Amino acid sequence: MRLLERGEQSAALAAAARSAAAGRGGVVLVTGEAGIGKTALVTGPAARVPGVRVLTGRCDDLATPRPLGPLRDVAREVGGPLAVALAGRGDVADALLAELSRPTVLVLEDVHWADDATLDLVRTVGRRVTGLPAVLVLTYRDAEPDGGAPLRSALATLPPAAVTRLPLAPLSEAAVAELVGEQVGDGAARVHALTGGNPFYVTELAAAGTTAPPPSVRDAVTGRVAALSPAARALVELVSVVPARAGTGVLDAVLPGWPVAAAEPERAALLTVGPDAVAFRHELARTAVAETLAAADRRRLSAAVLAALQRLGADPADLVHHAEAAGDVAALAAAALPAARAAAAAGATREASAHYRRAVPLAGALPDAERAALFEELAGAAYLAGQVPDALAAVDAAAGAHRATDDRRGLGRCAQVRSRLHWYAGDGAAARREAAAAVALLEPLGDSADLARARAAVAQLAMLGDRAEEALAEGRRAAALADRLGDAATAAHARVTTGTVEAQADPTATATLEDAHRAAATAGDHHEAVRALVNLAWTQLLWLRPDAARAAADRAAAHAAAHEVDALGGYARLTTAWLRLRAGDPVDVETAARAEAGRDGSVSDLLARTLLAERAVRRGDPDADERLADVAARADRTGELQRLVPVLELAVEDALVRGGPLPTARAARAVELARAAGGAGWGGGRLAAWASLAGVRHDGAGPAAPAHAALLAGDPRAAADAFGALGWPHDRALWLSSLDDADALGEALETARALGAAPLAARVTRRMRELGLAVRHGRRGTTRAHPAGLTARQAEVLRLLAEGLTNAEIAARLVVSPRTAEHHVTAVLGRLGAGGRREAVRRAAELGLLSS
């Protein structure tokens, strides 16, 4: 097929390949519907630049994908360390990155079908490719319903500056006419109308010489198949039941002499014949043929393929697919467990979970110990895949097997896993109950790594529950036991917890957390290494130290990205997004929240929902009440002040701004929980401040940050100044709106309008009218006249930004306070939709705002 109307995309792909040859890598995303020509583009001449090799791997449409399937295609071509690593004798990511140290175009096709392990490698390579002489080309169907969320999550981690997007559109009527020529008479216009300009549909109809309406493509393909000789037709039908490609070893076993039969469908442009496999030229053609087979024929052919694969010792995932298609329950059960363990070892968590579930029918025939191990493994895989209900069912089944043999150590292990699952699902009470049960079961059995982990879990839950003394005691016991047993990872886990308690009490006491971060990283437990930094960020945030919090969150996100700790990496990125939101930056919270799609009920999901609720409440969105009620209910289930206090704060703010009833009952419950816990770790001063605004006292909460201390003292001006010093304009404007001062109210109104905070702007307007002050409606005339809607003062600030002046220098030039200058800068960024000063200046230049 000629590549018509793909010149722009071909040029962009060629440019990316040339850039890789020069040592500047990147990512190219080629998207479009099935049959749109993605493969034709990426395997055509555009990607073939002198001195740059092209490596291609394809994701398969198997019932459950093979872990690292496309990388196995690449390894067959390059061999060496990558093939060794894929055989389980090395790190696959390191081997792939080493392979990409020479000029390469790495094409991974159909990543909408990719397994988790492949998507992990997409993240790794995509984040590092700018420093490599390589371009990573990904093709996928952008409207594919299956697997969309994991793929979107992986793509969200790619650096935007490194990504080139090449969406492929359908062909025009003129291009269709050029393709079909005289092959369908005068029907080019009709072909375009029938196919919508899809190149595959066009070429199939042209080859068939028909303009029959859909299901025309299937009819066209099957019509060409029907015209083949019986031997050639048998080969085509056999290949149709094998996703992606049929290995020559399978064909030799099932259809001896197939090469002779292959010539005819190859000439008919149905099949491509390679040195080690035969495949359809297009996946749509394969599925069209497979769908015409009778169910009995599909089962018969799948059974024949399965028997050949069994003799060849094929990949367990392929055995599972064909056993399922053949209805061979015994073969399916036998292959499922090896497939599950291979997927788990590769980090393909969704695939591992699916295979473990297929292996469950084996469980009844296994000895109790092996049955328990199967269900424990299933629980672990399901948890990592975010399938908490499935994980809970599996751990209950494992506990049942342990109970049959009175294996108390196994029961203790299951209780600890169950605790973790309940916490992840937001059920704090159940999590604490199971953690205590785990210790009670394991402690009588003597010291063990299982006991150390159980104590560390109890300590972590105590810390999250604001029970500082218990968290310190249990954490130190767990760390000491782990040290004696040489379990460095568990010792680091425990010290992350005790370090967090120390930083909760004193934001400068961060040494233990930093040490724990380094120890966890050294031990290879990068989940705990990231947790240390995330907790450091949150302790700084609770003490209202946003710069320190942002630095820690950025470090956490970077470490998570480097070591594939995606769940906590998302949490760190959400923390940064929250800090930016508070600073008035025009951050797209939706982008940060979408990256956590599919983690419903998780702590990251709750944080994402909290951010969206805050944005909705402050903007006055129609669904603000619904969002606030949702996060309140979810936070209540956790029983953790870390989740409850932000919701209380938002509820109080909403009531103050809109004049509704204060959430007194919510404040009282939070204060009661804090008193019962006896701690002040997760923002005791913060809780006291916001509870007092709701009419509830919280004595003995400990010290508070300056802004919260001002709220406790009933001093809104001091609170406004303190929040302003943090660079949080909405919070400053909120407390300025409580003052009977024209200048303060004027600033509050201007800030609210600049931030798009309609409820706060309405509150300020009401207050000004109550005080008899004049309220300017909308923007001034100079503002309306300005192309970007800037006031005269904001336009002046923009010109000073273009000169490269700092906030302090702008304040001196305008003879205003540094705080006022900062608010003007924030307003300018908001008007221009810029994420920073440089971007604001660039956009201003593009709009011609700096020429006058």
Side-chain angles (χ1 to χ4, degrees), residues 645-665:
V645 174
V647 174
L648 171 63
E649 177 180 336
L650 191 54
V652 171
E653 177 186 309
D654 186 48
L656 291 174
V657 169
R658 296 202 295 170
L662 290 164
T664 304

mmCIF file of all heavy atoms in Angstrom, residues 645-665:
data_model
loop_
_atom_site.group_PDB
_atom_site.id
_atom_site.type_symbol
_atom_site.label_atom_id
_atom_site.label_comp_id
_atom_site.label_asym_id
_atom_site.label_seq_id
_atom_site.Cartn_x
_atom_site.Cartn_y
_atom_site.Cartn_z
ATOM 1 N N VAL A 645 -8.365 15.900 58.277
ATOM 2 C CA VAL A 645 -8.171 17.338 58.497
ATOM 3 C C VAL A 645 -8.295 18.138 57.199
ATOM 4 O O VAL A 645 -8.939 19.195 57.196
ATOM 5 C CB VAL A 645 -6.836 17.605 59.213
ATOM 6 C CG1 VAL A 645 -6.574 19.105 59.309
ATOM 7 C CG2 VAL A 645 -6.855 16.994 60.614
ATOM 8 N N PRO A 646 -7.710 17.711 56.070
ATOM 9 C CA PRO A 646 -7.915 18.484 54.839
ATOM 10 C C PRO A 646 -9.387 18.613 54.452
ATOM 11 O O PRO A 646 -9.808 19.655 53.939
ATOM 12 C CB PRO A 646 -7.130 17.697 53.791
ATOM 13 C CG PRO A 646 -6.089 16.955 54.569
ATOM 14 C CD PRO A 646 -6.750 16.599 55.857
ATOM 15 N N VAL A 647 -10.174 17.575 54.710
ATOM 16 C CA VAL A 647 -11.597 17.639 54.398
ATOM 17 C C VAL A 647 -12.296 18.621 55.330
ATOM 18 O O VAL A 647 -13.148 19.415 54.904
ATOM 19 C CB VAL A 647 -12.233 16.244 54.491
ATOM 20 C CG1 VAL A 647 -13.743 16.326 54.308
ATOM 21 C CG2 VAL A 647 -11.633 15.316 53.446
ATOM 22 N N LEU A 648 -11.933 18.589 56.613
ATOM 23 C CA LEU A 648 -12.504 19.539 57.568
ATOM 24 C C LEU A 648 -12.179 20.970 57.146
ATOM 25 O O LEU A 648 -13.039 21.858 57.152
ATOM 26 C CB LEU A 648 -11.968 19.265 58.974
ATOM 27 C CG LEU A 648 -12.317 20.322 60.034
ATOM 28 C CD1 LEU A 648 -13.819 20.397 60.252
ATOM 29 C CD2 LEU A 648 -11.596 20.023 61.350
ATOM 30 N N GLU A 649 -10.927 21.200 56.794
ATOM 31 C CA GLU A 649 -10.494 22.532 56.366
ATOM 32 C C GLU A 649 -11.323 23.014 55.181
ATOM 33 O O GLU A 649 -11.803 24.165 55.167
ATOM 34 C CB GLU A 649 -9.017 22.480 55.992
ATOM 35 C CG GLU A 649 -8.462 23.782 55.456
ATOM 36 C CD GLU A 649 -6.988 23.674 55.098
ATOM 37 O OE1 GLU A 649 -6.305 22.797 55.647
ATOM 38 O OE2 GLU A 649 -6.533 24.479 54.274
ATOM 39 N N LEU A 650 -11.519 22.149 54.194
ATOM 40 C CA LEU A 650 -12.270 22.530 53.009
ATOM 41 C C LEU A 650 -13.742 22.774 53.346
ATOM 42 O O LEU A 650 -14.365 23.709 52.818
ATOM 43 C CB LEU A 650 -12.126 21.440 51.953
ATOM 44 C CG LEU A 650 -12.617 21.756 50.540
ATOM 45 C CD1 LEU A 650 -11.970 23.030 50.009
ATOM 46 C CD2 LEU A 650 -12.329 20.584 49.613
ATOM 47 N N ALA A 651 -14.296 21.958 54.239
ATOM 48 C CA ALA A 651 -15.698 22.125 54.624
ATOM 49 C C ALA A 651 -15.908 23.441 55.376
ATOM 50 O O ALA A 651 -16.909 24.138 55.171
ATOM 51 C CB ALA A 651 -16.143 20.941 55.481
ATOM 52 N N VAL A 652 -14.981 23.797 56.266
ATOM 53 C CA VAL A 652 -15.086 25.061 56.999
ATOM 54 C C VAL A 652 -14.969 26.230 56.026
ATOM 55 O O VAL A 652 -15.747 27.194 56.082
ATOM 56 C CB VAL A 652 -13.998 25.153 58.094
ATOM 57 C CG1 VAL A 652 -13.969 26.558 58.700
ATOM 58 C CG2 VAL A 652 -14.246 24.119 59.186
ATOM 59 N N GLU A 653 -13.992 26.159 55.140
ATOM 60 C CA GLU A 653 -13.808 27.233 54.154
ATOM 61 C C GLU A 653 -15.059 27.415 53.318
ATOM 62 O O GLU A 653 -15.515 28.544 53.086
ATOM 63 C CB GLU A 653 -12.614 26.907 53.263
ATOM 64 C CG GLU A 653 -12.376 27.924 52.168
ATOM 65 C CD GLU A 653 -11.272 27.503 51.217
ATOM 66 O OE1 GLU A 653 -10.173 27.142 51.698
ATOM 67 O OE2 GLU A 653 -11.504 27.534 49.991
ATOM 68 N N ASP A 654 -15.643 26.313 52.874
ATOM 69 C CA ASP A 654 -16.844 26.376 52.046
ATOM 70 C C ASP A 654 -17.984 27.046 52.799
ATOM 71 O O ASP A 654 -18.711 27.884 52.249
ATOM 72 C CB ASP A 654 -17.228 24.956 51.626
ATOM 73 C CG ASP A 654 -18.395 24.935 50.644
ATOM 74 O OD1 ASP A 654 -18.359 25.702 49.661
ATOM 75 O OD2 ASP A 654 -19.335 24.159 50.858
ATOM 76 N N ALA A 655 -18.140 26.686 54.089
ATOM 77 C CA ALA A 655 -19.209 27.285 54.896
ATOM 78 C C ALA A 655 -18.981 28.779 55.099
ATOM 79 O O ALA A 655 -19.920 29.581 55.018
ATOM 80 C CB ALA A 655 -19.298 26.572 56.242
ATOM 81 N N LEU A 656 -17.745 29.175 55.356
ATOM 82 C CA LEU A 656 -17.438 30.585 55.582
ATOM 83 C C LEU A 656 -17.683 31.402 54.308
ATOM 84 O O LEU A 656 -18.226 32.504 54.354
ATOM 85 C CB LEU A 656 -15.987 30.745 56.027
ATOM 86 C CG LEU A 656 -15.637 30.224 57.421
ATOM 87 C CD1 LEU A 656 -14.132 30.328 57.660
ATOM 88 C CD2 LEU A 656 -16.396 30.984 58.498
ATOM 89 N N VAL A 657 -17.253 30.870 53.181
ATOM 90 C CA VAL A 657 -17.358 31.622 51.934
ATOM 91 C C VAL A 657 -18.808 31.737 51.474
ATOM 92 O O VAL A 657 -19.264 32.805 51.048
ATOM 93 C CB VAL A 657 -16.488 30.966 50.841
ATOM 94 C CG1 VAL A 657 -16.780 31.566 49.475
ATOM 95 C CG2 VAL A 657 -15.014 31.135 51.177
ATOM 96 N N ARG A 658 -19.549 30.633 51.573
ATOM 97 C CA ARG A 658 -20.914 30.642 51.044
ATOM 98 C C ARG A 658 -21.964 30.977 52.092
ATOM 99 O O ARG A 658 -23.153 31.091 51.775
ATOM 100 C CB ARG A 658 -21.233 29.292 50.414
ATOM 101 C CG ARG A 658 -20.368 28.989 49.195
ATOM 102 C CD ARG A 658 -21.010 27.970 48.304
ATOM 103 N NE ARG A 658 -21.143 26.663 48.927
ATOM 104 C CZ ARG A 658 -21.839 25.647 48.420
ATOM 105 N NH1 ARG A 658 -22.479 25.813 47.279
ATOM 106 N NH2 ARG A 658 -21.899 24.482 49.038
ATOM 107 N N GLY A 659 -21.526 31.113 53.357
ATOM 108 C CA GLY A 659 -22.476 31.466 54.400
ATOM 109 C C GLY A 659 -23.346 30.316 54.855
ATOM 110 O O GLY A 659 -24.438 30.530 55.396
ATOM 111 N N GLY A 660 -22.889 29.090 54.660
ATOM 112 C CA GLY A 660 -23.662 27.930 55.077
ATOM 113 C C GLY A 660 -23.361 27.535 56.514
ATOM 114 O O GLY A 660 -22.546 28.167 57.198
ATOM 115 N N PRO A 661 -23.996 26.464 57.003
ATOM 116 C CA PRO A 661 -23.748 26.018 58.386
ATOM 117 C C PRO A 661 -22.336 25.459 58.528
ATOM 118 O O PRO A 661 -21.833 24.760 57.642
ATOM 119 C CB PRO A 661 -24.797 24.928 58.602
ATOM 120 C CG PRO A 661 -25.150 24.448 57.216
ATOM 121 C CD PRO A 661 -25.017 25.643 56.330
ATOM 122 N N LEU A 662 -21.717 25.760 59.648
ATOM 123 C CA LEU A 662 -20.362 25.262 59.904
ATOM 124 C C LEU A 662 -20.396 23.766 60.205
ATOM 125 O O LEU A 662 -21.347 23.276 60.839
ATOM 126 C CB LEU A 662 -19.740 26.016 61.069
ATOM 127 C CG LEU A 662 -19.379 27.474 60.778
ATOM 128 C CD1 LEU A 662 -19.138 28.232 62.081
ATOM 129 C CD2 LEU A 662 -18.142 27.540 59.889
ATOM 130 N N PRO A 663 -19.378 23.027 59.801
ATOM 131 C CA PRO A 663 -19.350 21.575 60.042
ATOM 132 C C PRO A 663 -18.906 21.256 61.479
ATOM 133 O O PRO A 663 -17.866 20.625 61.692
ATOM 134 C CB PRO A 663 -18.335 21.088 59.002
ATOM 135 C CG PRO A 663 -17.386 22.219 58.855
ATOM 136 C CD PRO A 663 -18.214 23.465 58.991
ATOM 137 N N THR A 664 -19.697 21.688 62.420
ATOM 138 C CA THR A 664 -19.323 21.531 63.837
ATOM 139 C C THR A 664 -19.202 20.060 64.227
ATOM 140 O O THR A 664 -18.265 19.665 64.935
ATOM 141 C CB THR A 664 -20.362 22.231 64.729
ATOM 142 O OG1 THR A 664 -20.468 23.597 64.314
ATOM 143 C CG2 THR A 664 -19.951 22.169 66.190
ATOM 144 N N ALA A 665 -20.141 19.247 63.780
ATOM 145 C CA ALA A 665 -20.100 17.827 64.146
ATOM 146 C C ALA A 665 -18.850 17.162 63.578
ATOM 147 O O ALA A 665 -18.202 16.350 64.257
ATOM 148 C CB ALA A 665 -21.356 17.124 63.638
#
